[in-house]
Amino acid sequence: ETMPHRLGIDNNLYLELVNAFTADVRDTLTKLADWPELASRNELALRLVSVRGAGLSLGAGPVVNAIRKVESVLEFGDTSTFAMACVVLKEENDRLIAAVGGTVASLAPPVVV
């Protein structure tokens, strides 16, 4: 309850934002799978910065620390620890998902055409 109060939002909106954040982390992990073959890594680096910023705002410290580790690995091109850094990020994201009730929902409902 501290974090929603600090952000000036209610608990339901906070949970929606956390769910959107965890979905972004999952999408980022999917993009990270292609990291060694990417022609331009700048887009991936910017995505990590953006997701990390959202995590900081939401108080998702362990996920943020895992993102920092992935950023460090990418910065130095350390392929030997890349897979492990991604595993840690996935585990921390999964822990956060479990803590908010085990769901990953989008912020807005899908549009039906």
Side-chain angles (χ1 to χ4, degrees), residues 90-105:
K90 181 186 179 315
E91 289 173 352
E92 292 301 337
N93 195 52
D94 288 346
R95 282 189 192 101
L96 181 56
I97 291 167
V100 297
T103 61
V104 177

Side-chain angles (χ1 to χ4, degrees), residues 53-103:
L56 284 169
S57 295
L58 294 170
V63 178
V64 169
N65 290 337
I67 292 169
R68 285 184 177 135
K69 178 63 177 172
V70 170
E71 288 174 317
S72 176
V73 167
L74 292 176
E75 180 180 344
F76 295 107
D78 186 0
T79 56
S80 65
T81 58
F82 176 73
M84 188 58 181
C86 289
V87 166
V88 171
L89 177 54
K90 181 186 179 315
E91 289 173 352
E92 292 301 337
N93 195 52
D94 288 346
R95 282 189 192 101
L96 181 56
I97 291 167
V100 297
T103 61

